[in-house]
Amino acid sequence: MNFKEKLFKAALKNRSWLCVGLDPDISKLPSNIVKTPSGIEEFLKVVIDTTKDLVCAYKPNSAFYEQFGIDGIALLKSIISFVPADIPVILDAKRGDIGNTSKMYAAAAFDYLGADAITVNPYMGFDSIWPFLDYKDKGVIILCLTSNLSSSDFQKRQVIDIDNRQIPLYQVIARTALAWNKNDNVGLVVGATKPEELGELRKLVGDGIPILIPGVGAQGGDLEMSLKNGSNKDGQLAIINVSRSVLYASKESDYAAKSRENALALVSIMRSLLF
Ligand code: NUP
């Protein structure tokens, strides 16, 4: 089963387009969790166990694991394999390099870690992305318009596209992503903090492309607006990522119940609007 099929299946089974971000930060862990990679492993496994009927995907961000060196990589691999087999894992690593190097990044993410999809940075162009696209069953989710304030530094600049039209750079990326979608395995990242552009981008790419939408919760993005503008005509394929406001719902030993509560609050809104 490829990434998109797995994503659809999980979303329909759980009636949810919530993706819980698994970003371990020692300073935010509940007080009863031991502040070591093995303590974090226990914490993340509890959160996965308590939310696995509420999500369409999980998204570990590689940086939060790399900070622990070799133990962090082992932790990342163990967490990815702990996620139930019918729920896709999106590795957020924003990779991209000369083709020869991207090939190694792709092997690390897909062959070694066992992720179902990866986020990539398109700045270096097609030959930096094709080694990922070449894994036909894996999702390749391209940064398009990111949630951070400084995304406007480059992404919103007006540029001339190949048909001589002047459009913002993020639209060039979306149009190019469509052209790269020969294996039906491309997705886009568009921040929840950019609701108008999100709607515009959904129209531009049509109904078949998954859009990963981070920024709801801690970054202030609006859930309903993100669903309304990011979903396709059937109310699908807007993957709403929430990391901190689900993971760190409580500093106390009741964290499992509180994480579930926060996830369920988001999913209840999704169910009332989309399912
Ligand atoms: O544009 C982006 N914004 C963003 O926050 C692209 C991302 N991949 N992310 C990631 O989503 C970010 O690195 C983090 O892993 C997650 C958002 O976390 P939170 O704000 O819900 O805690």
Side-chain angles (χ1 to χ4, degrees):
M1 202 188 315
N2 67 31
F3 166 68
K4 218 164 111 179
E5 289 163 347
K6 200 166 166 179
L7 177 70
F8 262 117
K9 246 185 135 177
L12 296 181
K13 180 181 167 205
N14 288 340
R15 294 185 300 131
S16 169
W17 288 97
L18 176 67
C19 168
V20 169
L22 303 172
D23 297 352
D25 178 344
I26 281 198
S27 69
K28 295 189 169 62
L29 287 174
S31 53
N32 60 316
I33 298 294
V34 183
K35 311 291 185 289
T36 61
S38 60
I40 291 169
E41 182 164 6
E42 182 200 318
F43 166 73
L44 292 174
K45 286 181 173 176
V46 168
V47 173
I48 292 168
D49 265 335
T50 201
T51 55
K52 65 189 177 195
D53 62 326
L54 298 177
V55 301
C56 68
Y58 287 102
K59 184 182 75 64
N61 186 314
S62 188
F64 288 84
Y65 298 81
E66 289 170 32
Q67 67 169 325
F68 301 112
I70 193 165
D71 293 342
I73 304 300
L75 171 65
L76 178 57
K77 189 168 167 58
S78 157
I79 291 302
I80 290 176
S81 55
F82 185 77
V83 171
D86 58 354
I87 300 175
V89 174
I90 301 167
L91 179 68
D92 195 354
K94 303 179 184 68
R95 300 300 193 209
D97 206 316
I98 61 166
N100 174 57
T101 308
S102 277
K103 207 172 160 185
M104 302 306 157
Y105 276 139
F110 300 142
D111 301 334
Y112 178 71
L113 290 170
D116 298 288
I118 188 169
T119 57
V120 297
N121 185 334
Y123 192 69
M124 289 177 70
F126 181 69
D127 60 9
S128 71
I129 303 300
W130 80 258
F132 300 98
L133 296 169
D134 215 27
Y135 282 79
K136 295 188 173 60
D137 290 343
K138 303 292 187 179
V140 182
I141 307 183
I142 299 171
L143 295 181
C144 180
L145 182 59
T146 54
S147 63
N148 56 319
L149 208 57
S150 302
S151 62
S152 53
D153 284 354
F154 301 123
Q155 298 163 24
K156 287 197 176 177
R157 295 262 184 131
Q158 295 287 322
V159 296
I160 308 293
D161 202 7
I162 39 172
D163 56 5
N164 270 333
R165 283 193 348 184
Q166 189 176 322
I167 56 177
L169 180 57
Y170 68 82
Q171 284 187 17
V172 175
I173 293 167
R175 295 173 89 187
T176 308
L178 274 181
W180 291 351
N181 195 25
K182 303 270 187 290
N183 294 331
D184 194 28
N185 61 348
V186 162
L188 291 181
V189 178
V190 182
T193 51
K194 310 280 170 5
E196 276 171 37
E197 294 89 344
L198 175 61
E200 172 195 293
L201 284 161
R202 170 53 77 194
K203 283 200 191 89
L204 195 159
V205 298
D207 294 317
I209 301 260
I211 304 184
L212 174 65
I213 306 169
V216 169
Q219 298 179 52
D222 183 74
L223 174 63
E224 295 193 23
M225 200 70 145
S226 299
L227 291 171
K228 186 169 162 274
N229 292 1
S231 298
N232 70 9
K233 67 172 179 7
D234 300 317
Q236 298 167 325
L237 290 179
I239 307 169
I240 306 292
N241 180 83
V242 179
S243 306
R244 281 167 290 181
S245 39
V246 169
L247 268 191
Y248 306 113
S250 167
K251 270 273 194 188
E252 310 304 326
S253 56
D254 62 351
Y255 70 88
K258 294 287 184 201
S259 285
R260 183 172 175 83
E261 215 173 90
N262 284 11
L264 191 55
L266 297 164
V267 171
S268 300
I269 294 172
M270 291 179 183
R271 287 177 180 166
S272 71
L273 292 174
L274 303 178
F275 291 90

